[in-house]
Amino acid sequence: MLMALIWVLASLLLAMWTAASWAVGALLTWALQNAGKLGDLSIPSTELPMPEWLAPWLPAGVTESVGPLLTQAAQGAVWLAGQAPFLVDWLTPAIWILWGLGVLVLLTGAAAASWFVRRFGLPTERSART
């Protein structure tokens, strides 16, 4: 029963890992393909208001420092737009290579847990009767 629990848990973790890898890959691909649009923002960073729900959670000095941060982010978006074709070409293979490494770690962990349970596990009913 414990062996089945280990492999069911490993299967669920594998499904979540696969879904997360796919979602991150899709989101990053979309962001890189649309990176050029971020550099075309004509709104000065000082005119972008802080969200009202966020203001009570931040110290008073943080709201003044957001302007320069947004300016730097816009400059980074312009650079990213120039690099986007190169990054998009390598993004999907890189994500799936990382996915494969994660699967390898997950399956190794499940196999090690199975071995540990088999080697040092609780006695079964059959062995308890003898």
Side-chain angles (χ1 to χ4, degrees):
M1 180 67 176
L2 195 54
M3 297 287 281
L5 182 65
I6 289 170
W7 287 103
V8 166
L9 181 63
S11 298
L12 289 174
L13 289 173
L14 179 62
M16 289 189 302
W17 176 245
T18 301
S21 297
W22 173 81
V24 166
L27 182 66
L28 288 177
T29 300
W30 172 82
L32 287 174
Q33 289 173 345
N34 294 308
K37 296 176 185 173
L38 295 175
D40 293 337
L41 292 176
S42 59
I43 301 171
S45 60
T46 56
E47 294 181 16
L48 293 173
M50 179 70 65
E52 292 180 22
W53 60 268
L54 188 58
W57 297 96
L58 297 175
V62 172
T63 56
E64 288 81 27
S65 65
V66 170
L69 179 66
L70 290 176
T71 302
Q72 290 178 352
Q75 292 170 354
V78 170
W79 175 83
L80 188 61
Q83 303 297 321
F86 172 75
L87 293 174
V88 169
D89 290 341
W90 285 96
L91 181 68
T92 301
I95 286 176
W96 290 112
I97 287 170
L98 288 174
W99 172 83
L101 292 173
V103 168
L104 182 64
V105 168
L106 184 75
L107 292 178
T108 302
S114 294
W115 175 82
F116 185 79
V117 166
R118 191 174 297 139
R119 177 82 169 105
F120 304 107
L122 300 173
T124 61
E125 289 180 29
R126 189 176 305 155
S127 63
R129 279 188 244 156
T130 58

